[in-house]
Amino acid sequence: MKIIRLFGLLCFFSFLCNAQETTIMGTVSSEGEPIPFANIYLKGTQIGTSSDENGFYNLSGISEGTHKIVASIIGYIPFSSTISVTKGEMKVMDIELFPSTQALDEMVVTGTLKAVSRSESPVPVEVYSPTFLKKNPTASIFEALQNVNGVRPQINCNVCNTGDIHINGLEGPYTLVLIDGMPIVSGLGTVYGLTGIPNSLIEQIEIVKGPASSLYGSEAVGGLINIITKNSLEAPEFFADAFATGWGEYNMDVGAKIEVGKNTDVLLGINYFKYDELIDNNSDNFTDLTLQDRISIFQKWNFKRDKDRVLSLAGRFFYEDRWGGELQWTPEFRGGDEVYGESIYTRRWEVLGKYQLPIDEKVMLSFSYNDHDQNSVYGDIPYLADQRIGFSQLTWDKEVGRHDLLFGSAVRYNYYDDNTTATLTADEVVIPSIFVQDEIALAKKHSLLLGLRYDYDKRHGNIFTPRTAYRWKITDNDILRLNAGTGFRVVNLFTEEHAALTGARDVVVTEDLNPERSFNLNLNYLKKIYADDGTFISLDASAFYTNFSNAILPDYDTNPNQIIYDNLNGKSVSQGLSANVDFVFPNGFKFLIGATFQDVAQTEDGIKRRQILTESYTATWNVGYTFRNLKLSVDYTGNLYGPMRLPVLGETDPRSDFSPTWSIQNIQFTYKGLNGFEFYGGIKNLLDWTPNRGNPFIIARANDPFDKEVLFDGNGNAIATPNNPNALTFDPSYVYGPNQGIRGFFGIRYRIN
């Protein structure tokens, strides 16, 4: 009897096992966050599903054998992997998706002032997400851009570390920085627009290389950088990110989303950075890195309205106390001639907003205002400046048949005043503008964009800036773009040239400066490849040419004791080739490499010279691998810069006229094994490279920063003496890279969705 019962139980359990369905289940996630509504299916079958709001999926009714499972969703690289199952088996397979910095389905707004998918934009726009920024964590977007091909953060002074952004070799004043599409930072405040916005509140960074003045007006001559902040649906409930480095740098980002009633929410972000270590590894008695204490508070209000009309208001307050100089400097020496120091107090506030009018037509009112107050001393020379920029813009987006039209009118208010001799009275001007843009669908695969902008500046009269763009979508995976356009820039000298403020050289303005004009051509080819095994490859290549007229250039060479400014009597040309290649493999390996070859030079009186502080070639890379079982990611990032011409003090200066080829390389390890937490750490500047290699010194006459022991002839030129055999004067402007050597870092991130 017992044998019969045992046999019956065995038959029953066998029946249950045979009746049990073969199932594959798991979660879909990216960077530790669940991805809802991703498509998951078995290739070659009718079995498929989508992940729920928590990223969970379940595939059932699967036959025994080996299958290829595929997962995809817009904005991420498709996942593909083989999996073997036996009859009645329940198998767990978690899927990790990787965002692609080059994904064609990303939405962009910068190229045309309209939200379109990147593949449909006639203007090539590069897009970088916070995930990209995390590969080499930095205290500001300014530093993070060192890993973007064709974009280089340039340090302009060895003492106070003031810097700007170069795009395709063009100086910082040619780059316009925007926040949510508003040209809120320019001139005096360009770098400050790239500092102090927590990464947790950044949706993406869009970069356009080449003139965009037909939409954005002055300063968008060489390119623009648009920082897009998150909306309330995409922002985390709470986010904190803190890290420290071996040099004693401390940075903290805190972000939160706060609901105020049913129809209003607030995004709050706070960034704090502190560095107060006296480090002098190159032994010149000057700080290698400026000491800084800064705080930035960002707040964005989003209001829900009928028919999803837009209403948002954002503001930011920024304060920084920064100084560099001789190691014995203290605030009591500020502005004196006993101990040299460069001390900068910066107070800045900004407000910007968007309001969609309550009418059937798509009409948007955008506005911004910023006030920038700077109290600086460079040795014993004070520089007190106040800049205010107000901007308002009304746009009407209208589709008529094959024409996608955009009409706009803008007004810009500029106020600038400082205590230098170049600004005897405050510079105050109102610049009204109108513009029109028409994107024409010529055929299914062809579109043409035409644009024209008119600005009136009382100082320079009427200014017209046309542009055109042609897009040929050869296939869904091949896009060819040809862009041509013009740009203009109205110059305020002292807001842009820090070297004029160091006190090291006299500034000479030889004539009234006329506005610069530029003409640009850009040919872009974008290719994406999806392999059967889930491998993704993207190629983005461009050829560019920009010709400047009335270029305003600082002349360091005619007189080593002066910086001479005038409009170039000739031509200035920037031309070159640029390419990015992005590989993503289903096993977790990622590889992104970019390279730019450029020729940036001025021709005057038949003589061609390379532009100063401009490299002839550059490369960037990002190699990453994720050990899924260990929940550990490794990222190796770096850049390479070719030789650039440097501002030496004449033929007797023993410092090299050209920089060597140099590279900054970093490695980072990130662990995501705890829910909501990320732990990361690594080493920056693995090669321990600093610009003092191969040079007897970096700062000229660092032992005599006030030139008290320098003798001059009747023309103001330094005379060689036993104490000064090379006839030099104090000069901290010989700089092309950071002075920070190798250092470790460690950080923690915490996020609540």
Side-chain angles (χ1 to χ4, degrees):
M1 189 68 178
K2 290 182 179 180
I3 294 175
I4 295 174
R5 288 178 180 175
L6 180 60
F7 179 76
L9 286 174
L10 290 173
C11 291
F12 177 73
F13 283 118
S14 175
F15 170 78
L16 289 179
C17 291
N18 290 331
Q20 182 180 358
E21 287 190 315
T22 303
T23 303
I24 302 174
M25 63 177 61
T27 58
V28 184
S29 62
S30 177
E31 301 291 327
E33 302 301 323
I35 300 179
F37 316 122
N39 298 312
I40 305 101
Y41 63 94
L42 297 184
K43 191 170 183 180
T45 74
Q46 298 296 316
I47 299 173
T49 186
S50 61
S51 58
D52 64 17
E53 62 273 12
N54 297 313
F56 179 79
Y57 76 94
N58 185 315
L59 296 172
S60 58
I62 305 171
S63 62
E64 184 178 16
T66 300
H67 300 274
K68 177 169 287 188
I69 185 171
V70 178
S72 64
I73 189 172
I74 290 175
Y76 294 85
I77 303 305
F79 170 91
S80 177
S81 180
T82 56
I83 184 170
S84 298
V85 293
T86 58
K87 190 173 182 179
E89 182 182 12
M90 184 179 68
K91 202 154 193 176
V92 176
M93 183 175 191
D94 292 331
I95 296 174
E96 177 84 2
L97 295 182
F98 300 99
S100 173
T101 57
Q102 308 296 330
L104 287 180
D105 293 315
E106 293 163 315
M107 299 300 290
V108 296
V109 298
T110 306
T112 60
L113 279 180
K114 296 184 180 186
V116 297
S117 68
R118 186 167 174 241
S119 61
E120 298 301 319
S121 173
V123 178
V125 180
E126 295 184 15
V127 181
Y128 298 92
S129 68
T131 301
F132 177 86
L133 303 179
K134 289 179 181 179
K135 303 303 180 185
N136 178 32
T138 60
S140 70
I141 301 173
F142 174 78
E143 298 174 64
L145 291 176
Q146 65 184 283
N147 290 328
V148 176
N149 180 32
V151 177
R152 182 170 68 86
Q154 165 66 35
I155 302 297
N156 292 329
C157 176
N158 270 303
V159 180
C160 73
N161 293 160
T162 295
D164 56 33
I165 296 293
H166 291 199
I167 294 182
N168 286 347
L170 298 177
E171 294 283 349
Y174 297 97
T175 300
L176 180 64
V177 179
L178 308 101
I179 299 177
D180 287 337
M182 290 292 94
I184 198 167
V185 282
S186 59
L188 188 63
T190 294
V191 174
Y192 297 101
L194 297 170
T195 302
I197 300 178
N199 285 344
S200 61
L201 297 184
I202 297 175
E203 173 63 21
Q204 61 191 34
I205 298 173
E206 300 181 5
I207 298 177
V208 175
K209 299 173 181 177
S213 291
S214 63
L215 280 183
Y216 296 97
S218 179
E219 282 130 16
V221 179
L224 56 88
I225 299 170
N226 191 5
I227 302 169
I228 310 293
T229 59
K230 290 183 181 293
N231 59 42
S232 57
L233 294 176
E234 299 160 330
E237 298 292 333
F238 177 79
F239 181 92
D241 184 353
F243 72 83
T245 75
W247 270 49
E249 300 164 283
Y250 300 93
N251 184 78
M252 173 173 282
D253 285 343
V254 177
K257 179 171 64 178
I258 305 166
E259 292 187 1
V260 183
K262 294 182 179 180
N263 298 318
T264 307
D265 56 69
V266 182
L267 301 182
L268 174 66
I270 301 174
N271 169 259
Y272 179 70
F273 177 81
K274 187 175 182 63
Y275 171 71
D276 60 0
E277 298 291 329
L278 292 172
I279 296 180
D280 178 25
N281 288 339
N282 57 18
S283 302
D284 59 5
N285 195 44
F286 272 74
T287 54
D288 289 347
L289 182 67
T290 58
L291 282 69
Q292 303 175 51
D293 194 356
R294 74 167 181 256
I295 186 169
S296 175
I297 301 173
F298 179 85
Q299 196 173 77
K300 182 178 181 180
W301 292 68
N302 296 292
F303 302 91
K304 297 178 182 177
R305 300 173 61 207
D306 292 340
K307 299 182 180 180
D308 293 327
R309 292 190 178 101
V310 176
L311 176 56
S312 65
L313 183 66
R316 185 171 71 126
F317 174 78
F318 179 96
Y319 178 79
E320 182 181 57
D321 177 1
R322 181 173 90 249
W323 78 270
E326 295 185 276
L327 301 182
Q328 60 270 33
W329 188 91
T330 59
E332 66 186 57
F333 295 107
R334 192 176 196 266
D337 63 355
E338 297 179 48
V339 179
Y340 189 90
E342 298 187 2
S343 169
I344 299 98
Y345 301 144
T346 301
R347 180 179 286 103
R348 177 184 178 87
W349 62 270
E350 306 160 350
V351 62
L352 63 155
K354 292 185 176 182
Y355 174 71
Q356 186 175 350
L357 272 60
I359 58 178
D360 292 336
E361 298 292 338
K362 295 171 65 175
V363 180
M364 183 78 71
L365 174 66
S366 306
F367 59 89
S368 65
Y369 182 83
N370 70 76
D371 187 294
H372 186 109
D373 178 76
Q374 187 162 317
N375 181 328
S376 312
V377 292
Y378 300 89
D380 57 354
I381 299 177
Y383 173 62
L384 309 175
D386 183 22
Q387 184 177 48
R388 302 166 204 158
I389 299 176
F391 181 83
S392 180
Q393 179 173 272
L394 187 69
T395 57
W396 177 26
D397 186 353
K398 180 70 173 178
E399 291 188 23
V400 180
R402 293 187 174 186
H403 298 266
D404 191 353
L405 297 162
L406 180 72
F407 302 94
S409 177
V411 61
R412 178 166 177 160
Y413 167 76
N414 284 349
Y415 174 90
Y416 176 77
D417 192 21
D418 65 29
N419 64 319
T420 69
T421 56
T423 311
L424 298 178
T425 60
D427 182 14
E428 189 172 18
V429 64
V430 175
I431 305 175
S433 312
I434 57 173
F435 57 90
V436 62
Q437 175 181 276
D438 183 11
E439 185 176 352
I440 309 166
L442 300 176
K444 185 178 180 180
K445 296 183 178 182
H446 301 267
S447 63
L448 177 68
L449 181 141
L450 302 173
L452 177 65
R453 182 185 181 101
Y454 165 75
D455 292 79
Y456 177 76
D457 187 324
K458 66 180 182 181
R459 300 166 298 182
H460 308 294
N462 302 316
I463 303 175
F464 292 91
T465 46
R467 78 161 172 173
T468 185
Y470 168 71
R471 180 180 65 91
W472 178 18
K473 194 171 184 178
I474 305 169
T475 70
D476 288 341
N477 298 329
D478 297 83
I479 298 174
L480 186 68
R481 297 179 175 96
L482 176 64
N483 280 242
T486 61
F488 75 96
R489 187 170 72 99
V490 178
V491 179
N492 192 315
L493 181 65
F494 282 84
T495 68
E496 298 158 351
E497 185 53 62
H498 171 266
L501 306 171
T502 62
R505 305 188 187 205
D506 294 328
V507 176
V508 177
V509 181
T510 59
E511 59 185 65
D512 292 334
L513 299 177
N514 295 316
E516 294 185 330
R517 302 298 302 264
S518 69
F519 171 75
N520 172 269
L521 280 172
N522 184 295
L523 180 64
N524 174 261
Y525 175 64
L526 196 53
K527 170 75 174 179
K528 62 176 182 177
I529 301 171
Y530 293 99
D532 291 339
D533 63 354
T535 300
F536 172 79
I537 303 173
S538 173
L539 169 65
D540 187 345
S542 294
F544 58 89
Y545 172 86
T546 304
N547 187 304
F548 292 89
S549 58
N550 288 337
I552 299 171
L553 302 171
D555 178 1
Y556 290 84
D557 304 310
T558 301
N559 187 326
N561 297 310
Q562 295 179 335
I563 305 175
I564 303 172
Y565 293 90
D566 63 356
N567 287 111
L568 180 69
N569 183 23
K571 66 178 181 178
S572 176
V573 172
S574 169
Q575 57 190 343
L577 301 172
S578 178
N580 288 314
V581 183
D582 190 3
F583 294 87
V584 179
F585 299 93
N587 62 0
F589 181 73
K590 295 175 289 183
F591 189 83
L592 172 64
I593 185 169
T596 298
F597 298 88
Q598 60 194 17
D599 176 20
V600 185
Q602 294 84 39
T603 302
E604 189 169 23
D605 299 328
I607 300 175
K608 179 180 177 181
R609 301 196 67 180
R610 277 180 57 182
Q611 180 172 287
I612 205 166
L613 292 173
T614 302
E615 66 278 10
S616 56
Y617 58 87
T618 181
T620 57
W621 62 86
N622 185 330
V623 181
Y625 184 76
T626 298
F627 298 89
R628 290 170 177 159
N629 294 335
L630 301 176
K631 298 190 181 300
L632 178 69
S633 298
V634 182
D635 291 286
Y636 168 53
T637 60
N639 51 51
L640 178 74
Y641 299 110
M644 60 186 74
R645 193 165 68 90
L646 301 175
V648 295
L649 296 176
E651 295 181 358
T652 59
D653 193 330
R655 297 175 295 183
S656 175
D657 292 345
F658 283 83
S659 71
T661 299
W662 55 282
S663 175
I664 300 291
Q665 301 177 26
N666 321 282
I667 192 168
Q668 176 185 251
F669 301 87
T670 305
Y671 176 71
K672 304 174 185 176
L674 294 179
N675 186 31
F677 284 92
E678 290 184 19
F679 301 89
Y680 60 94
I683 300 174
K684 291 180 178 287
N685 198 353
L686 285 164
L687 303 181
D688 196 24
W689 178 91
T690 54
N692 60 306
R693 288 188 180 181
N695 274 304
F697 50 82
I698 293 295
I699 299 176
R701 297 289 295 174
N703 63 315
D704 183 22
F706 295 100
D707 290 336
K708 293 182 178 180
E709 300 178 11
V710 177
L711 296 181
F712 298 91
D713 62 19
N715 295 321
N717 298 314
I719 300 174
T721 63
N723 185 38
N724 185 18
N726 299 113
L728 303 178
T729 58
F730 174 68
D731 178 35
S733 62
Y734 183 94
V735 58
Y736 56 93
N739 284 320
Q740 280 185 290
I742 190 170
R743 60 201 183 277
F745 66 94
F746 177 78
I748 302 175
R749 298 187 185 100
Y750 178 66
R751 176 180 177 129
I752 301 176
N753 285 320

